[in-house]
């Protein structure tokens, strides 16, 4: 047998059927200063002896609190004195219930109104509302940075690119190439998904503001016969971020180059001569 004769060899390669390159820009925004209306319900028991005063609740922090206060005198011969904001007093007797609507509640206290050491037993409840403001860095001093990341804020180099499967198959579109020439292309639907993390540097400190998910769907007309599939390459990624609305909002612009190829697996046969080992 002649080992030096040409023999057929087969291998699989990607055959590029069509391709396109385009610049893509994605705009995102994040509101920083937003007020959240919070509702709290608080309740507890009252146990007083003599004329001792007990603080039931007080506001924490610079909050403007409003809502309803209810105090019930369940047992005991001595009246219960309800004190609002350390000055306004209301007296209730056994079996009575006091309900007040207050727009600027700071403190709620009770004390017994008697000279003996007898006990007074009761209950209280509050349904209050207040606004929490979520703020971040001062736009006058904070420098913003942004980058592609995973869902946890860790930097990544690219984003997810995939074709959206169409049923039963890709739609074919008739396209006019010139005055007398037409061709048929397929509509390829591409989904881009990823995350952008925004961080701020202020006074030599750096901390994360947020990680924002995003996704974009785009349609392309390509030569994409049955059996072909898409290959995506994302390059030249640039992210810019800036404050708007006096620091209450952040705008993000993500720009990158998107290269798409429609490929198919193709078996190629060629004649080749095997290389004989060097026996010396």
């Amino acid at each position: 047998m002649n080992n030096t004769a040409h023999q057929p060899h087969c291998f699989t390669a990607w055959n590029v059927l069509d391709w396109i390159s385009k610049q893509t820009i994605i705009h995102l925004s994040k509101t920083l200063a937003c007020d959240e209306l919070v509702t709290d319900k608080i309740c507890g028991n009252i146990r007083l002896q003599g004329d001792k005063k007990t603080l039931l609740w007080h506001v924490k922090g610079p909050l403007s609190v409003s809502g309803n206060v209810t105090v019930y005198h369940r047992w005991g011969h001595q009246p219960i004195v309800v004190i609002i904001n350390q000055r306004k007093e209301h007296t209730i007797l056994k079996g009575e219930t006091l309900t007040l609507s207050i727009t600027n509640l700071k403190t709620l206290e009770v004390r017994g109104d008697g000279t003996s050491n007898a006990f007074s037993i009761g209950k209280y409840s509050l349904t209050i509302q207040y606004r929490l403001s979520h703020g971040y860095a001062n736009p006058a001093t904070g420098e913003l940075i942004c980058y592609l990341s995973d869902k946890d804020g860790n930097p990544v180099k690219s984003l997810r690119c995939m074709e959206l499967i169409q049923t039963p198959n890709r739609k074919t579109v008739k396209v006019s190439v010139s005055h007398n020439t037409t061709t048929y292309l397929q509509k390829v639907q591409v989904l881009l998904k990823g995350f952008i993390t925004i961080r701020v540097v202020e006074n030599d400190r750096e901390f994360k503001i947020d990680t924002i998910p995003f996704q974009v769907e785009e349609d392309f007309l390509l030569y994409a016969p049955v059996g072909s599939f898409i290959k995506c390459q994302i390059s030249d990624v640039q992210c810019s971020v800036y404050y708007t609305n006096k620091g209450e909002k952040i705008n993000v612009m993500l720009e990158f180059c998107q290269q798409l190829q429609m490929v198919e697996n193709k078996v190629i046969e060629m004649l080749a001569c095997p290389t004989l080992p060097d026996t010396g």
Side-chain angles (χ1 to χ4, degrees), residues 73-242:
H73 188 331
R74 185 172 67 86
W75 182 86
H77 296 291
Q78 295 190 114
I80 294 178
V81 179
V82 181
I83 307 169
I84 304 296
N85 295 343
Q86 298 182 341
R87 59 179 183 271
K88 192 168 184 179
E89 298 186 356
H90 305 267
T91 301
I92 55 175
L93 303 176
K94 178 182 176 181
E96 292 183 340
T97 300
L98 173 69
T99 300
L100 301 171
S101 294
I102 305 171
T103 57
N104 188 20
L105 181 62
K106 299 293 184 183
T107 60
L108 172 63
E109 300 171 282
V110 291
R111 64 172 170 83
D113 187 17
T115 57
S116 69
N117 288 326
F119 286 96
S120 296
I121 307 298
K123 291 180 178 292
Y124 72 95
S125 65
L126 297 90
T127 301
I128 57 176
Q129 290 185 328
Y130 51 91
R131 292 188 177 276
L132 290 179
S133 180
H134 303 286
Y136 295 90
N138 185 346
T141 59
E143 178 187 358
L144 293 172
I145 57 175
C146 63
Y147 52 86
L148 277 179
S149 71
D150 59 17
K151 62 182 180 62
D152 298 317
N154 302 309
V156 297
K157 294 183 179 180
S158 189
L159 50 90
R160 187 180 182 188
C161 175
M162 58 182 294
E163 182 182 1
L164 293 175
I165 302 302
Q166 304 174 59
T167 54
N169 47 45
R170 302 176 185 122
K171 181 180 179 181
T172 299
V173 179
K174 184 178 180 181
V175 180
S176 297
V177 180
S178 61
H179 182 67
N180 295 320
T181 306
T182 59
T183 190
Y184 293 91
L185 299 177
Q186 284 70 44
K187 179 186 287 188
V188 179
Q189 297 179 327
V190 177
L191 174 66
L192 298 171
K193 297 179 65 175
F195 298 87
I196 291 178
T197 292
I198 306 170
R199 301 184 71 88
V200 64
V201 179
E202 184 178 23
N203 298 329
D204 297 326
R205 296 183 300 115
E206 181 177 329
F207 56 91
K208 185 175 80 171
I209 289 181
D210 201 2
T211 296
I212 307 174
F214 69 89
Q215 69 176 41
V216 178
E217 296 181 15
E218 294 184 296
D219 293 339
F220 299 94
L221 290 179
L222 297 167
Y223 176 58
V226 175
S228 62
F229 57 94
I230 197 165
K231 284 179 57 65
C232 301
Q233 183 176 356
I234 306 299
S235 60
D236 299 329
V237 179
Q238 297 184 17
C239 185
S240 58
V241 56
Y242 55 93

